Amino acid sequence: MVEIVEVAPRDGLQNEKKVLPTEIKAELVRRSLDAGLRRIEVTAFARPDRVPQMADAEALLSEVTSDPRLTSIGLVLNRKGLDRAVAAGCDEITAVVVASDGLALRNQGADTKAQIEAWHTIAADAREAGIKASVIIAAAFGCPFDGEVSTERVLEVAKGVLDAGPDELAIADTIGVGVPAQVRAIVGGIRQLDADIQLRAHFHNTRNTGYANALAAVESGVTVLDASTGGIGGCPFAPGATGNIGTEDLLYLLDRSGVRTSTAIDASQVAATGTWISDQLGLPQAPAMLGRAGWFPAP
């Protein structure tokens, strides 16, 4: 069984040129909930001058946190971000540690070692605040500035973040360069470090390997997958980091592979939302394919 974390409101929108009004973002969250998605990365607590698409984080959360169906996740980069997430009423936070110094410095202005140290503080303070704290290792499959990121490097970073006792550990292919062999090697290595940690994976489909990687992750024991309705989004600090895997396309893949999701999710509703949000962004069509191709066999 696999849990889907819907990331379109955050990772889906943060790299799009058009900044959507808060009401449209709130509608995206509500439509996702109506389709059966429950755990949603609603926003990021980042500097508005660097990520203007996330400037309304508190306002957006105030619009949606009263919905009892929602488990809201806020992405945080530092202690100030954690304080904002707690004050805004997030159910969970996900902190970021970048596996490569090149992207780490450009993304957060601190190298990987410093980010691990910051994560330890965030994890302790989140526990004290009574909210779940996860950590995501970004650029775990390759870096746009440093090039190859070895499995050994990723496992070294994983050991550092595991020492702080995260509720969940995620690995991210931030620029969509990974392949299934890497997925199996990284997941297997992390399992040797901690056999019980809940594993989550975040893939981009930049080079059409995202869905193969998602299936490899599930087959390797990953139980949580990120996906973005419509396949929108990417990372604004990583050149070429386009194309999150689409929630609707992932649902089709999992269903046809005999893998159940933790909640009943209506893929056709997700696809309709993917078309709708792509229209709101002024895209010619949603990057995800299910909205165009339809389910097979047809219902």
Side-chain angles (χ1 to χ4, degrees):
M1 184 176 294
V2 172
E3 180 181 32
I4 305 297
V5 173
E6 176 56 55
V7 301
R10 197 279 301 177
D11 199 38
L13 298 181
Q14 73 171 8
N15 201 38
E16 298 295 338
K17 293 180 180 179
K18 186 174 182 180
V19 178
L20 297 179
T22 305
E23 307 80 60
I24 296 297
K25 297 178 185 177
E27 180 65 16
L28 174 59
V29 172
R30 286 190 286 267
R31 287 182 183 228
S32 298
L33 291 168
D34 289 344
L37 294 154
R38 292 292 177 264
R39 197 171 165 210
I40 300 177
E41 194 175 62
V42 175
T43 191
F45 295 90
R47 284 172 42 181
D49 61 322
R50 299 201 71 195
V51 192
Q53 296 87 343
M54 301 289 108
D56 61 346
E58 285 85 357
L60 174 57
L61 279 158
S62 71
E63 291 285 326
V64 299
T65 50
S66 62
D67 194 315
R69 301 174 296 176
L70 173 65
T71 297
S72 59
I73 304 174
L75 189 81
V76 305
L77 302 178
N78 49 38
R79 174 56 198 268
K80 182 178 180 181
L82 172 65
D83 291 341
R84 290 177 61 193
V86 171
C90 281
D91 297 304
E92 306 177 25
I93 62 97
T94 297
V96 180
V97 172
V98 184
S100 64
D101 285 329
L103 182 58
L105 290 165
R106 288 166 176 81
N107 190 46
Q108 290 158 253
D111 65 16
T112 303
K113 182 180 178 182
Q115 289 183 14
I116 292 173
E117 293 171 355
W119 151 247
H120 279 240
T121 301
I122 290 169
D125 292 343
R127 274 193 295 271
E128 188 174 336
I131 67 172
K132 183 176 178 181
S134 301
V135 61
I136 189 165
I137 301 176
F141 295 81
C143 172
F145 307 105
D146 296 348
E148 296 283 0
V149 176
S150 70
T151 298
E152 291 73 22
R153 168 72 171 186
V154 176
L155 296 180
E156 177 186 342
V157 174
K159 187 177 186 303
V161 301
L162 285 167
D163 287 342
D167 291 291
E168 178 181 78
L169 173 61
I171 52 172
D173 186 8
T174 306
I175 57 172
V177 295
V179 295
Q182 286 177 282
V183 175
R184 290 188 284 268
I186 291 171
V187 173
I190 293 173
R191 277 285 171 243
Q192 290 183 10
L193 296 174
D194 188 329
D196 300 319
I197 187 70
Q198 178 164 287
L199 289 179
R200 174 175 158 196
H202 179 106
F203 297 113
H204 288 200
N205 199 42
T206 314
R207 291 165 178 81
N208 278 332
T209 59
Y211 298 98
N213 290 338
L215 195 56
V218 172
E219 292 169 346
S220 299
V222 170
T223 57
V224 186
L225 292 173
D226 287 0
S228 174
T229 290
I232 59 173
C235 176
F237 305 110
T242 56
N244 286 290
I245 60 172
T247 307
E248 54 267 57
D249 292 355
L250 178 62
L251 288 168
Y252 178 83
L253 171 65
L254 294 176
D255 182 84
R256 296 284 290 177
S257 301
V259 178
R260 291 187 300 141
T261 53
S262 58
T263 59
I265 305 170
D266 187 329
S268 63
Q269 275 190 263
V270 176
T273 299
T275 300
W276 170 79
I277 194 63
S278 296
D279 288 343
Q280 299 300 315
L281 290 166
L283 303 177
Q285 60 187 9
M289 302 296 292
L290 191 71
R292 285 172 270 166
W295 196 268
F296 178 85

